[in-house]
Amino acid sequence: DITIKIHKLITHTKTRKKLTEQQKEFQLLARKFAREEVVPAAPGYDKSGEYPFPIIKKAWELGLMNSHIPEDCGGMGLSIFDACLITEELAYGCTGVQTAIEANSLGQMPVILAGNDAQKKKYLGRMTEEPLMCAYCVTEPGAGSDVAGIKTRAVKKGDEYIVNGQKMWITNGGKANWYFLLTRTDSDPKCPASKAFTGFIVDADTPGIQVGRKELNMGQRCSDTRGITFEDVRIPKENVLIGEGAGFKIAMGAFDKTRPPVAAGATGLAQRALDEATNYALERKTFGRLIAEHQAVSFLLAEMAMKVELARMAYQRSAWEVDEGRRNTYYASIAKAFAGDIANQVASDAVQIFGGNGFNSEYPVEKLMRDAKIYQIYEGTAQIQRLIIAREHLGKFKK
Amino acid sequence: MSGRVLVGVKRVIDYAVKIRVKPDHSGVVTDGVKHSMNPFCEIAVEEAVKLKEKKLIKEVVAVSCGPQQVQETIRTALAMGADRGIHVEVSGKDYDNMGPLQVSKIMAALAKKEEAQLVILGKQAIDDDCNQTGQMTAALLDWPQGTFASEVTLEGDKVKVVREIDGGLETIKINTPAVVTADLRLNTPRYATLPNIMKAKKKKIANVKPADLGVDMASRVEVLRVDEPPQRQAGMKVETVEDLVGKLKEAGRI
């Protein structure tokens, strides 16, 4: 038993060595694209709130999007680890742009995990043929963390389901070509969550779908977030994922694969904040010296650096675990919770290091602080992550 | 015509890096420093790949001279669309002393061996700024040259080259086979796409030694010392033209 544990530790340390040549090249491409295309355009998109489609199109052309789509659907079938490397680099440029791109992965994941061949070819195939967007349509005005509390109803009628309900905070809601939609199909309130919900793929142009206005948010302002109303929307039964009642597990299963990239995004933002603050600290002088030479500032930078490095290690571990075929829920939640929290701390500290300039919109760090907040909210709030981590952790002790 | 284009790519210190002189003044610090493809070589690769996409030529071969690490630079060219690579192995003292004369001898030998129709190089490298390799290669091959190209058009068995010169633009027409060197405005190099980076792994890179090509790597140039440029001294403001002339006379400048 001990020898097995030691062997696992050695294999783990050996495997988590350096990046492969190909991974380094992917990372370099994403970094170059982010620094040259995203960074200069980001402030403009933040001010106007305009959807950054030109950048998204370029990213799509370079193969930086839709990395999870399997090869037989025209995708590259990259590992979660590879996707995280790319995500961190893009997020460094702008997390608003990055979220718009990441929402595709979130919407696609249920189809990749649970779709049959026909569904995969139809809905994933088209994503690699043109730069289309999709969306993960689960949250409602009355149910975010409490997914089992959603009220959107799907009722079977012949060969179709009739859907009625209201969704909210749907990223890419107004730009999606199709949605992954979670509905309640069993009206019995005593029916357990594992049987009561059904997941569908819905074409966005289906009659009865009403897309709400673009919401004005604190940060990631170029990302398109909307409420969506479903009024007697008819979905063919061919678009059910797996079968009636299987929806909850599909919706939740996607997160083990999408939380590591979200953590990577938060890490990219934190790295950007750290770099901006460091460069400023090496230019600005007070009391006759560079502010970086004052220990108050250098200690702040040291702690920011610690947090960024640890967040990176956390998301890499969670990505590696799932790529190795193991259940990574514990690591994915730790990575997402930690990265979200430190992104907020590091961005706020960056504003502090910039002083008065940091509070001003002509300098890049106030945007980072506004953009960071959502990382403690979407893809499972900081509190939900702690629930999950506690459950997983205590579960190891109860034998 | 063979339809084959040879492109030289050089691995240099990345343009964004702050250069530091070694404490012994023998050169600049390269250990652990970020390197990438010389920007003018990127432009050369892009031009060759564009010619292939227009179906005016059939094959793009990327060549680099140096130690094991230059394979990364060749892979970048492959990811941009070159078909195969040639790594000319040069290391140690030979690599430290390698200059345009040695590289042009290698390029000339390869151009003959590969029966190249065109050799496209960057106009100069951003580390030594020699601006000699293209010209020397053409001379060794006794081929025409179109240097500082801002536009290249293949017309049958001739090439029309618009050259950037001090007085403006000069258009020349030269016979192929020929050597062309790329200037800044020739094109905007593409990003390698992720799928192309993956495909590039399967493309072949052949290994060759200078001796195999009959090239003697001995250098006629010896670097005595490398120094940083002198620190810029503060200037001073003067009120009138007379003051300015007076100060210049004082400093012995006029």
Side-chain angles (χ1 to χ4, degrees), chain B residues 14 21-22 31 57 59 68 76 105 107-108 110 121 123 146 157 159 167 208:
Chain B
D14 186 82
V21 174
K22 280 196 210 159
D31 270 348
I57 57 125
E59 193 187 24
Q68 184 64 18
T76 307
K105 285 180 184 172
M107 291 303 298
L110 283 172
L121 304 172
K123 72 170 178 180
D157 59 353
V159 189
V208 157

Side-chain angles (χ1 to χ4, degrees), chain A residues 21-22 25-26 28-30 32-33 36-37 58 61-64 67 71 76 78 86, chain B residues 15 34-35 42 72 75-76 79 189-201:
Chain A
E21 277 309 311
Q22 181 169 277
E25 284 176 62
F26 287 172
L28 270 173
L29 169 63
K32 190 171 181 204
F33 179 76
E36 288 176 16
E37 305 280 339
K58 273 196 198 145
E61 282 165 4
L62 293 178
L64 293 170
S67 46
E71 288 178 75
M76 275 169 309
L78 293 190
I86 295 169
Chain B
Y15 75 90
K34 178 164 188 233
H35 285 66
E42 280 183 356
E72 289 165 19
R75 288 256 171 248
T76 307
R190 65 193 62 193
Y191 295 106
T193 69
L194 224 80
N196 281 346
I197 291 175
M198 287 169 75
K199 280 194 207 129
K201 287 187 75 184

Side-chain angles (χ1 to χ4, degrees), chain B residues 177-191:
Chain B
V179 175
V180 169
T181 71
D183 208 328
L184 190 64
R185 278 158 282 271
L186 179 57
N187 60 49
T188 307
R190 65 193 62 193
Y191 295 106

Side-chain angles (χ1 to χ4, degrees), chain B residues 32 56 59 61 66 125 137 154 161 172 177 197 237:
Chain B
L56 296 168
E59 193 187 24
V61 182
T137 307
L154 291 190
V161 180
I172 60 171
I197 291 175
K237 274 186 165 165

Side-chain angles (χ1 to χ4, degrees), chain B residues 193-218:
Chain B
T193 69
L194 224 80
N196 281 346
I197 291 175
M198 287 169 75
K199 280 194 207 129
K201 287 187 75 184
K202 302 198 183 94
K203 295 183 182 172
K204 286 200 173 13
I205 300 181
N207 290 320
V208 157
K209 290 195 179 49
D212 301 340
L213 301 169
V215 172
D216 168 24
M217 292 301 287

